[in-house]
C-alpha cells in the first residue's frame, strides 16, 4: 500500500532554501508532489514552518491564455504574509541573487470574513477597498516554469514581497489598466495587458472564493487579495532597480534590491 503523502519534508526544504537565499533545481523525486492537492498541502506546511503572520492571498497564472496553456481550470493560489509587505517608495531586499519578477496588480482588501459557501453573488460586496499594487515574485526554484504546477504551488506560487499602493475607485480598474506604463530606472518596459493575456481582477476574486470553499478556508476581514498581473510582468536584478508604475495621474514606486551574483 502506498504511503500517504507527507508535505513536511518538501516544505522544510523550501523554507531552508528561502532563508539561505539559494534556489533548488527541483524537489527530490521522493518528496515531489504529483497533484495540485499535494502541492497545496506543501504550501500549508510551508506557511506553518515559516511562522510568519497571515495577511491574505495571491493569485497567479490567471489569464485565459495562461490557464489554457497550463491546463488549469482556475488560477493558482498562494498566501501573503505581513512581514513581506512594504510601503510604496521603500527599498525591498530579496534574499537570492536571482532575477525578481515584478507584477503590477489590482488588490482588494476584504470587508468581512467569508466562510466557505458564503461568498456574495456580487464579489465586490465583500470588498472594503481597491488598490494598485506590486507583487515581487522570486521562486525557491531556479526555473519555476519547469518544475510543474504542484511544486510551484508548494513554493507558495513564488511569493517574495508585496507593495500595497494607493486606494483607487473600483469603477476605474479598466482605466488604470489601459493607462499604466511600467518603468525601470526611468525607461519604459511594459503596459497593460489586453485580450486573452489580460485578467479580470473581480473574476480572480471569485476564483479565490471558489478555492476557499473547496479547501474549507475562511477568508478573513482585512485580508489582502492581490489578483495577478494586469500589466506585462518583467524581471529586474540581480542588483538594484528603481521600479515605477504610472497610471491615471498616479504613481507607484519601489526600489528592488538583491545580492549581486
Amino acid at each position: 500500500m502506498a504511503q500517504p503523502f507527507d508535505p513536511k519534508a518538501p516544505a522544510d526544504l523550501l523554507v531552508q532554501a528561502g532563508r539561505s537565499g539559494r534556489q533548488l533545481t527541483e524537489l527530490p523525486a521522493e518528496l515531489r508532489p504529483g497533484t495540485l492537492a499535494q502541492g497545496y498541502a506543501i504550501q500549508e506546511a510551508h506557511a506553518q514552518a515559516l511562522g510568519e503572520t497571515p495577511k491574505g492571498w495571491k493569485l497567479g497564472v490567471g489569464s485565459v491564455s495562461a490557464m489554457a496553456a497550463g491546463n488549469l481550470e482556475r488560477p493558482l493560489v498562494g498566501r501573503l504574509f505581513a512581514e513581506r509587505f512594504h510601503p510604496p517608495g521603500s527599498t525591498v531586499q530579496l534574499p537570492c541573487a536571482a532575477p525578481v519578477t515584478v507584477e503590477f496588480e489590482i488588490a482588494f482588501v476584504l470587508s468581512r470574513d467569508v466562510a466557505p459557501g458564503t461568498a456574495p453573488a456580487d464579489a465586490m460586496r465583500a470588498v472594503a477597498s481597491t488598490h494598485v499594487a506590486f507583487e515581487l515574485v522570486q521562486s525557491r526554484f531556479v526555473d519555476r516554469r519547469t518544475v510543474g504546477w504542484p511544486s510551484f504551488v508548494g513554493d507558495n506560487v513564488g511569493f517574495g514581497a508585496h507593495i500595497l499602493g494607493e486606494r483607487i475607485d473600483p469603477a476605474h480598474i479598466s482605466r488604470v489598466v489601459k493607462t499604466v506604463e511600467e518603468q525601470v530606472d526611468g525607461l519604459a518596459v511594459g503596459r497593460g495587458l489586453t485580450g486573452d493575456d489580460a485578467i479580470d481582477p473581480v473574476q480572480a476574486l471569485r476564483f479565490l472564493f471558489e478555492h476557499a470553499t473547496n479547501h474549507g478556508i475562511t477568508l478573513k476581514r482585512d485580508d489582502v487579495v492581490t489578483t495577478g498581473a494586469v500589466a506585462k510582468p518583467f524581471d529586474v536584478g540581480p542588483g538594484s532597480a528603481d521600479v515605477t508604475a504610472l497610471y491615471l495621474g498616479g504613481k507607484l514606486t519601489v526600489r528592488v534590491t538583491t545580492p549581486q551574483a
Side-chain angles (χ1 to χ4, degrees):
M1 180 178 296
Q3 294 295 316
F5 182 76
D6 182 1
K8 185 176 185 305
D12 287 346
L13 274 181
L14 290 165
V15 170
Q16 291 166 11
R19 287 176 174 166
S20 65
R22 63 186 178 89
Q23 291 178 311
L24 307 172
T25 302
E26 59 185 355
L27 290 169
E30 66 274 14
L31 303 181
R32 197 175 304 150
T35 65
L36 285 177
Q38 291 177 349
Y40 282 114
I42 294 174
Q43 186 183 115
E44 170 68 25
H46 188 173
Q48 292 179 5
L50 278 175
E52 298 181 8
T53 308
K55 182 67 174 177
W57 304 88
K58 59 158 287 180
L59 293 103
V61 199
S63 70
V64 170
S65 59
M67 286 191 289
N71 197 27
L72 296 169
E73 295 182 355
R74 65 170 66 93
L76 303 179
V77 175
R79 297 156 186 260
L80 306 179
F81 301 104
E83 290 82 356
R84 300 171 187 239
F85 270 61
H86 305 270
S90 60
T91 296
V92 179
Q93 172 80 50
L94 280 91
C96 184
V100 177
T101 300
V102 180
E103 298 184 352
F104 179 75
E105 307 195 358
I106 301 298
F108 301 116
V109 178
L110 298 185
S111 61
R112 63 175 178 88
D113 289 2
V114 181
T118 68
D122 177 358
M124 293 300 292
R125 291 180 65 86
V127 170
S129 58
T130 303
H131 301 255
V132 294
F134 282 134
E135 184 192 349
L136 306 182
V137 177
Q138 191 179 63
S139 175
R140 271 52 63 178
F141 293 112
V142 174
D143 188 343
R144 64 184 184 267
R145 297 173 179 86
T146 63
V147 296
W149 295 137
S151 288
F152 187 46
V153 164
D155 180 39
N156 199 28
V157 197
F159 177 59
H162 193 268
I163 297 87
L164 188 67
E166 68 176 358
R167 185 170 178 164
I168 62 170
D169 186 333
H172 295 164
I173 289 174
S174 62
R175 293 179 62 203
V176 167
V177 175
K178 288 177 181 177
T179 60
V180 66
E181 179 182 286
E182 302 164 307
Q183 299 179 350
V184 175
D185 296 330
L187 300 176
V189 294
R191 301 195 67 89
L193 296 169
T194 60
D196 285 351
D197 292 328
I199 68 157
D200 176 347
V202 178
Q203 179 59 43
L205 182 60
R206 295 189 193 102
F207 280 131
L208 177 64
F209 291 159
E210 291 178 11
H211 173 88
T213 293
N214 291 343
H215 290 262
I217 296 168
T218 294
L219 307 175
K220 299 296 186 180
R221 179 180 178 179
D222 296 328
D223 273 358
V224 175
V225 180
T226 196
T227 56
V230 295
K232 180 184 177 182
F234 57 92
D235 288 350
V236 298
S240 295
D242 290 316
V243 175
T244 302
L246 304 173
Y247 58 90
L248 282 186
K251 178 189 290 189
L252 179 62
T253 64
V254 65
R255 170 168 283 189
V256 182
T257 302
T258 60
Q260 293 284 355

